[in-house]
Amino acid sequence: MERYIIWSVTILVVLSSISTDAFPSNWHMNEFIEAIKEVEDANPGLKPIDVLRSLRRAAGLMDTFIQHFLGSSSSDGAMMKAGFSDYFDGAIYHRVTKDGREEGVVLTSDGTTVALRPLLLGIEVGLLSKITGGVEGLYPLTLARDLALSFGDFQKSITPQRLGPDGCWDSISTPINFNLSGPVSRITTAMVNGGMDGVIVGMEVSSAQSGGPAVKLSSLLSSYYCQRMDWTNGSDTTPVHVSQRRRENFQELVRPPILARQVVSSTALQRRLAGQPKMDVMEEKQLTIVVNEGMKEFVHKYMDCPAIIPRCMWGARPYRGTPTPLSLPLAFVYIHHTEIPSQPCLTFDQCSANMRAIQRFHQDERGWDDIGYSFVAGGDGNIYTGRGWDWKGAHTKGHNDKGYGVAFIGDYSSSLPSQHAMELVRDRLTSCAVGGGQLVADFTIQGHRQVVATDCPGDALYREITGWEHWGSQ
């Protein structure tokens, strides 16, 4: 009897070690990719689309709308180690809790948060279309249905806003809880990010040339989310289809009127699948008006504007004292470079560390209340929030209440930032500000020399950003 008890305990210990070996410990995209790789290694003959179907089954994504486009996922799929099915359910099934925590999202290496459901559904649509030669559903499953629900809820005053918000992780190194930063709509920023990525990667796999072994799902995700931005003599050599270029790529691929029509048709399909009466002409006309209004906000917020990393994500200290509100709108943007650090940051982690160092210098050495700049452009493809849109900065002596101060991380006295970084500021950040009512329409970008904030870039950067041949006011 004693030997039996010892043997039973041994079996339990072995099973426990099997079920927890290499088990994902947090909600980071890298961890999710590693979990998929484990499934692929354990099922070497399984095709990528079968892996996706297995993930969909694990997450319970079996509603009639999804099955209308993708069919059932009930066929034999991947064998998973104990506990992995529960992990994939938690990673993929999206929901927002009553206390404002968003689940079914992961932090990516580029510093943004992505909902996995629309991403994976978009990739599955792309792979299925390659197999069958023409499958609809890319827009409905990634963005259109959720946009329709969000626009409808706003119109009915069920939610206080149409889109968003973003949020903050409890830890950047080991993200566990993602808490939203404001009133919640039906489609959050993480869902939009996942939907955009689902469209981009889904189109890419659909149009990829046939022949050769199928690219594994883990490799596909790694190539999109794990690429490092490369900067060489002011030019970009980073592949085009990477998550850091999400908004630019989506803007090139998707036409808002087409997406708006998909939102309307997704609503009609949802009603039909639910056995509800078909919309009459007046209902469809009213829905189209609601959708078009919502799409204006969507285009401005997620296509015109760049990805702006909030303070909580780069680890900002609190503002010292009480910030001074700006009197909006403003008429100027003042361009700076940080000089120190002298090299451009190429990753979210590196840029975040640079932001913390700049803030420490401004607060501890200069004695300012906060980091001086309104926004900072990193070489990783992100804009970082300094004092933001609403608060007076400390960037341009005598002009801090007249415009925003935007700095490029790096020393550009004799060279230029990457073209991508300059376009983020010149074309996207300023367009975002104008569209959002923060700047007057005929705002001016100036390179400004002064002695309190960090010195401005050289003439070459100033001309590149503004298209002018002379310095602005000194």
Side-chain angles (χ1 to χ4, degrees):
M1 184 67 175
E2 182 179 351
R3 292 179 61 186
Y4 172 76
I5 294 174
I6 294 173
W7 178 243
S8 298
V9 171
T10 303
I11 291 175
L12 288 173
V13 170
V14 171
L15 289 176
S16 177
S17 66
I18 291 174
S19 65
T20 59
D21 181 42
F23 191 78
S25 59
N26 59 70
W27 303 120
H28 197 285
M29 178 63 81
N30 293 350
E31 291 271 319
F32 181 73
I33 293 173
E34 284 300 315
I36 291 178
K37 191 174 185 303
E38 289 243 5
V39 172
E40 292 169 337
D41 291 345
N43 301 266
L46 210 61
K47 296 178 180 178
I49 194 167
D50 294 320
V51 175
L52 284 161
R53 286 168 176 163
S54 297
L55 296 177
R56 180 153 57 94
R57 183 167 63 251
L61 302 182
M62 304 291 289
D63 63 71
T64 55
F65 191 87
I66 293 175
Q67 293 192 46
H68 174 81
F69 295 104
L70 298 177
S72 172
S73 62
S74 59
S75 58
D76 292 340
M79 296 190 61
M80 301 182 188
K81 290 194 299 185
F84 265 61
S85 182
D86 290 338
Y87 166 76
F88 287 125
D89 179 25
I92 300 170
Y93 186 80
H94 183 271
R95 74 186 187 108
V96 176
T97 64
K98 291 182 179 180
D99 59 353
R101 189 174 70 254
E102 188 172 11
E103 299 177 350
V105 297
V106 296
L107 174 64
T108 69
S109 296
D110 67 15
T112 56
T113 300
V114 170
L116 290 171
R117 186 194 73 191
L119 164 68
L120 298 177
L121 290 177
I123 297 175
E124 187 173 346
V125 170
L127 289 173
L128 187 59
S129 68
K130 195 171 184 64
I131 294 171
T132 62
V135 177
E136 298 179 354
L138 184 62
Y139 290 146
L141 293 178
T142 54
L143 284 169
R145 178 172 64 162
D146 291 318
L147 286 174
L149 294 172
S150 192
F151 295 161
D153 283 355
F154 179 79
Q155 181 70 13
K156 299 171 186 174
S157 301
I158 296 174
T159 56
Q161 59 182 17
R162 290 187 182 92
L163 302 166
D166 205 342
C168 296
W169 288 94
D170 54 347
S171 169
I172 302 303
S173 57
T174 55
I176 302 295
N177 294 313
F178 185 69
N179 296 301
L180 294 168
S181 57
V184 182
S185 72
R186 184 71 75 104
I187 185 166
T188 63
T189 294
M191 292 181 70
V192 173
N193 288 339
M196 286 182 170
D197 291 346
V199 170
I200 294 166
V201 182
M203 285 187 175
E204 185 176 12
V205 298
S206 177
S207 61
Q209 293 183 354
S210 302
V215 178
K216 291 183 177 181
L217 178 60
S218 60
S219 299
L220 191 66
L221 294 175
S222 293
S223 65
Y224 185 76
Y225 288 106
C226 303
Q227 290 280 356
R228 177 188 174 97
M229 297 291 280
D230 192 8
W231 184 91
T232 307
N233 296 323
S235 62
D236 297 302
T237 57
T238 303
V240 173
H241 287 153
V242 292
S243 61
Q244 294 94 324
R245 301 181 185 272
R246 171 186 298 115
R247 298 192 180 198
E248 299 98 305
N249 287 332
F250 186 81
Q251 193 169 42
E252 290 180 3
L253 290 172
V254 178
R255 298 292 173 263
I258 295 176
L259 181 56
R261 288 197 293 272
Q262 290 283 337
V263 173
V264 173
S265 62
S266 292
T267 303
L269 175 61
Q270 183 80 15
R271 291 184 57 158
R272 180 167 66 82
L273 292 174
Q276 298 175 353
K278 183 179 178 180
M279 285 189 293
D280 59 32
V281 175
M282 288 302 296
E283 283 182 298
E284 186 171 351
K285 184 177 180 179
Q286 180 61 36
L287 175 62
T288 301
I289 293 172
V290 171
V291 169
N292 287 338
E293 282 299 310
M295 284 302 301
K296 291 178 184 177
E297 183 177 337
F298 177 86
V299 169
H300 170 68
K301 188 169 186 174
Y302 296 112
M303 297 175 72
D304 292 341
C305 293
I308 301 178
I309 302 297
R311 291 168 61 91
C312 60
M313 290 295 289
W314 59 263
R317 291 174 172 180
Y319 189 97
R320 292 177 178 174
T322 303
T324 301
L326 289 166
S327 180
L328 304 176
L330 303 182
F332 297 93
V333 172
Y334 300 102
I335 302 299
H336 304 263
H337 68 168
T338 63
E339 190 175 15
I340 298 174
S342 61
Q343 296 300 311
C345 55
L346 303 178
T347 66
F348 165 69
D349 289 341
Q350 184 184 11
C351 292
S352 296
N354 288 166
M355 290 292 292
R356 294 191 295 270
I358 295 168
Q359 186 187 39
R360 284 195 302 270
F361 175 68
H362 285 183
Q363 287 185 322
D364 298 343
E365 300 298 324
R366 293 285 174 87
W368 299 346
D369 295 329
D370 197 0
I371 187 171
Y373 308 116
S374 307
F375 297 96
V376 178
D380 62 335
N382 287 321
I383 300 292
Y384 289 79
T385 304
R387 300 205 188 185
W389 296 117
D390 299 319
W391 308 113
K392 180 181 176 181
H395 47 78
T396 312
K397 187 176 181 180
H399 295 73
N400 290 318
D401 59 350
K402 296 178 174 60
Y404 297 111
V406 181
F408 290 84
I409 293 179
D411 183 354
Y412 301 109
S413 299
S414 59
S415 63
L416 290 173
S418 68
Q419 189 65 33
H420 183 252
M422 290 191 291
E423 289 173 354
L424 280 177
V425 173
R426 182 183 58 219
D427 302 333
R428 291 187 171 274
L429 185 62
T430 53
S431 175
C432 179
V434 171
Q438 302 286 355
L439 292 170
V440 295
D442 57 346
F443 69 93
T444 300
I445 302 178
Q446 293 190 346
H448 194 83
R449 297 182 190 271
Q450 33 66 48
V451 296
V452 177
T454 307
D455 288 340
C456 65
D459 289 349
L461 171 59
Y462 177 65
R463 287 196 300 269
E464 184 70 27
I465 288 290
T466 64
W468 291 359
E469 291 300 323
H470 303 287
W471 287 99
S473 59
Q474 304 298 307

